[in-house]
Amino acid sequence: MTMQDSKSSLPLVSKPMKAGGAKFSQKGKVWIGATVALALAATAGGYFFFGQNKVEADWKKNTVQVKRGPADIKVVATGIIRPEREVKISPKTTGLLKELLVRQGERVKTGQLLARMDDSNLVGQAESAKGAYLAALDNYEKMKAGNRPQEVAASFYQEQKARQGVNNSERNISRLKAQMEAIRATLARDEQFALTQAFLANNGAISDQDRINAQTQARVSRSNLLAAESELAQAQMAKSQSETDLSTIQQQNNMMKSGFRREDIAAAQHSASQAKGNLTQIESLMRDTRILAPFDGIITQKYADAGAIVTPTTSSSTTSATSSSIVALAGRLEMVAQVSEANITKIKVGQEVEITATASPDKVFHGRVTQIAPAAIVTTNVTTFEVHAALLEHAEEELLAGMNVSASFNVGHEDNALTVPAVCVVSRKGQAGVFVPDAKGEPQFKEIKTGASLGRTVIVLSGLKEGDLVLKGLNKNQLGAEGYGAGGQARGGRGGAGAAGGGVSTRGFGR
């Protein structure tokens, strides 16, 4: 078909339309009106049906179902990681730090050498004290052992020699006494002969010379007697001296054989003990220059370097900015939790605890209760007890001192417990309860009696049953209707509210 043909055909189509145009327009309006009415009715019905279902679905999304099942009853408390003990390491006396052998953050063992102090002024004193002690000890050992056999034998020979001298003196005296008797006899004979010769000479029987010779012989005999008497006296004196020497030597020999007196031995022993005490004191001062770790731990602070003068530390605090100490040593880490007075009776020594650090909320560490404080701590009218727990496995390697943690103690188990999320539980005028929706989804406060807290859930003892719906939060209008003002604080009651998701969840219930 050409362009001209198409133009000529247009009137053929338009003419019939013009012929029936009025009738078609009237019927079309009727049908269009009916169609619009049906569409509006369908739209209104759909809006009413689906809109109502959507409203109902919206408030049901803000509910949670009360469940029943097994539950582990736990006591949750806040805590902190801290060392079991922490001390400042310092010398016993003021001195020069010669060498520091550890660094901050280094782990050490009991007895490990941490530092050396200058001991140059003690070396000479130690050698002198050692020599004095050894000399005193040798003297004591000598006196305790007694005299040597050779010394005892020599003393015995001296006694024998002295005894032989006494015997010789006695034999000499005996000889001199016999000699005196002979001289006395000779003297008596010579004197009698002299008298006879003198009588004969007077009578002229003999010459006067014979008389003189006889008298001279008598005088010689008397002189011999006097000399013998003097020699005997000397021999007797010599015997007395020999006897005295023998007695002295005998006593010495007896002492030599019996050894030293007990008092002398005891005195020598005391002298050795005194010398040993002096040596021990110097050695103790020498040992004190070697700074050793008193227990296993980690070096948390370093206060001095080699060449510094350090002094004894009287304070155990390690938070001081300046210190005259050498280093600070912290022992093994432990967890210390603050458990409420209501729950402290449920915690036992030896019980296991799960520990979650604020720095690692997705990781659970384990510990075991080692100590429960016998006295409470009251802070802002809240009574708590400190519970200490040793860290198990590799917790000590990953946790650091000062970290805040959450401690969960498993204190029981129920096989058929009725539970509700803890976020749903509120307190109104001192009464625990939850908000339950009515048929239109409006919140209604319902009192309940709660049991143990399971962390994010709470056991319900009465007031609810399995399958009940509980609101997780209220919107602003509902909060206003329930008496909660801005910020979630209830007017006329205890409890609060905070934003959670698109609505507002009630909080503030505390047991």
Side-chain angles (χ1 to χ4, degrees):
M1 180 180 298
T2 62
M3 183 68 68
Q4 188 176 2
D5 293 336
S6 62
K7 289 181 180 180
S8 62
S9 63
L10 290 176
L12 296 176
V13 176
S14 59
K15 287 180 180 180
M17 291 176 63
K18 288 181 180 180
K23 184 178 181 180
F24 174 79
S25 176
Q26 186 177 2
K27 291 181 179 180
K29 289 180 179 179
V30 173
W31 283 104
I32 290 173
T35 302
V36 171
L38 290 174
L40 290 176
T43 301
Y47 176 80
F48 177 79
F49 178 77
F50 291 106
Q52 186 176 9
N53 288 346
K54 184 177 183 301
V55 172
E56 184 178 357
D58 286 342
W59 67 259
K60 283 189 176 181
K61 289 180 181 179
N62 193 34
T63 62
V64 64
Q65 195 174 42
V66 179
K67 298 180 180 180
R68 185 179 293 276
D72 290 325
I73 303 175
K74 296 183 179 181
V75 171
V76 180
T78 59
I80 191 171
I81 301 298
R82 70 185 188 189
E84 293 179 351
R85 47 182 173 172
E86 188 172 11
V87 296
K88 284 182 177 180
I89 304 297
S90 63
K92 289 185 178 180
T93 57
T94 301
L96 175 67
L97 180 60
K98 185 177 182 180
E99 187 178 9
L100 182 62
L101 303 174
V102 292
R103 296 173 296 178
Q104 186 175 4
E106 183 176 345
R107 291 189 177 274
V108 297
K109 297 292 183 181
T110 303
Q112 180 176 335
L113 183 62
L114 305 180
R116 288 190 181 94
M117 303 293 294
D118 182 28
D119 61 351
S120 57
N121 59 333
L122 297 174
V123 175
Q125 298 181 37
E127 291 297 327
S128 177
K130 184 177 181 180
Y133 167 63
L134 293 177
L137 183 62
D138 290 340
N139 183 52
Y140 166 65
E141 293 295 336
K142 172 186 175 181
M143 299 190 71
K144 184 174 67 173
N147 297 298
R148 293 178 296 178
Q150 296 86 346
E151 295 174 337
V152 176
S155 177
F156 176 74
Y157 295 147
Q158 290 291 332
E159 180 183 355
Q160 295 300 318
K161 184 178 180 180
R163 192 180 300 279
Q164 185 64 34
V166 172
N167 293 335
N168 291 337
S169 297
E170 290 178 347
R171 286 194 295 270
N172 188 35
I173 289 173
S174 298
R175 180 183 62 79
L176 290 174
K177 285 181 178 181
Q179 184 178 358
M180 286 181 60
E181 291 298 328
I183 292 174
R184 283 194 184 96
T186 302
L187 175 62
R189 185 197 65 184
D190 291 343
E191 287 180 343
Q192 184 63 35
F193 180 74
L195 289 175
T196 302
Q197 292 295 98
F199 176 76
L200 292 175
N202 289 333
N203 292 321
I206 59 173
S207 64
D208 193 52
Q209 186 62 42
D210 291 337
R211 177 186 63 80
I212 294 173
N213 290 338
Q215 289 178 343
T216 300
Q217 183 64 40
R219 285 195 293 271
V220 170
S221 296
R222 182 170 293 279
S223 297
N224 291 336
L225 177 60
L226 293 176
E229 288 178 347
S230 177
E231 188 176 358
L232 177 60
Q234 291 179 357
Q236 289 176 339
M237 291 177 61
K239 177 186 176 183
S240 298
Q241 183 63 41
S242 298
E243 289 176 344
T244 301
D245 293 342
L246 175 61
S247 177
T248 302
I249 293 175
Q250 283 178 334
Q251 292 178 2
Q252 292 177 351
N253 186 32
N254 291 334
M255 290 177 58
M256 192 69 67
K257 290 187 294 185
S258 61
F260 297 95
R261 295 176 57 182
R262 289 180 298 176
E263 295 83 354
D264 294 337
I265 297 175
Q269 183 181 13
H270 298 331
S271 297
S273 298
Q274 183 178 7
K276 184 179 180 181
N278 294 334
L279 175 61
T280 301
Q281 182 180 9
I282 300 300
E283 289 178 341
S284 177
L285 294 176
M286 292 282 289
R287 286 193 299 270
D288 289 343
T289 62
R290 294 168 52 86
I291 310 301
L292 307 179
F295 51 82
D296 293 352
I298 185 171
I299 303 298
T300 57
Q301 294 288 340
K302 185 189 75 169
Y303 299 111
D305 291 305
I309 300 296
V310 291
T311 60
T313 301
T314 58
S315 174
S316 61
S317 173
T318 59
T319 58
S320 174
T322 60
S323 174
S324 58
S325 301
I326 302 174
V327 294
L329 177 64
R332 295 191 58 183
L333 297 179
E334 65 173 357
M335 188 276 299
V336 181
Q338 303 292 334
V339 179
S340 65
E341 182 180 10
N343 293 322
I344 192 62
T345 56
K346 303 172 184 177
I347 311 300
K348 306 296 180 184
V349 174
Q351 184 175 351
E352 290 193 1
V353 55
E354 293 182 349
I355 302 170
T356 304
T358 304
S360 304
D362 298 330
K363 192 165 186 179
V364 177
F365 302 95
H366 296 87
R368 180 173 288 108
V369 177
T370 57
Q371 179 185 354
I372 300 175
I377 299 175
V378 179
T379 306
T380 61
N381 296 327
V382 177
T383 302
T384 59
F385 288 81
E386 284 191 349
V387 176
H388 299 250
L391 302 180
L392 303 179
E393 300 170 353
H394 303 290
E396 191 171 0
E397 299 177 0
E398 300 186 37
L399 296 176
L400 301 177
M403 279 188 171
N404 294 313
V405 297
S406 175
S408 177
F409 303 87
N410 192 351
V411 297
H413 178 81
E414 288 192 17
D415 294 328
N416 193 25
L418 193 66
T419 59
V420 66
V423 70
C424 300
V425 181
V426 297
S427 177
R428 173 180 285 184
K429 297 181 180 180
Q431 175 60 49
V434 294
F435 285 105
V436 297
D438 58 10
K440 296 181 180 180
E442 295 299 323
Q444 303 293 325
F445 181 79
K446 188 172 186 180
E447 295 182 358
I448 63 171
K449 184 178 181 181
T450 60
S453 174
L454 307 179
R456 295 184 178 181
T457 60
V458 177
I459 293 179
V460 178
L461 302 179
S462 63
L464 294 173
K465 64 180 182 297
E466 184 180 2
D468 285 350
L469 295 180
V470 177
L471 289 173
K472 293 186 291 185
L474 305 181
N475 57 36
K476 293 182 180 180
N477 295 332
Q478 291 170 339
L479 283 172
E482 293 295 332
Y484 290 91
Q489 181 63 41
R491 296 188 297 270
R494 295 190 306 169
V504 178
S505 61
T506 57
R507 297 181 185 273
F509 172 66
R511 299 193 306 113

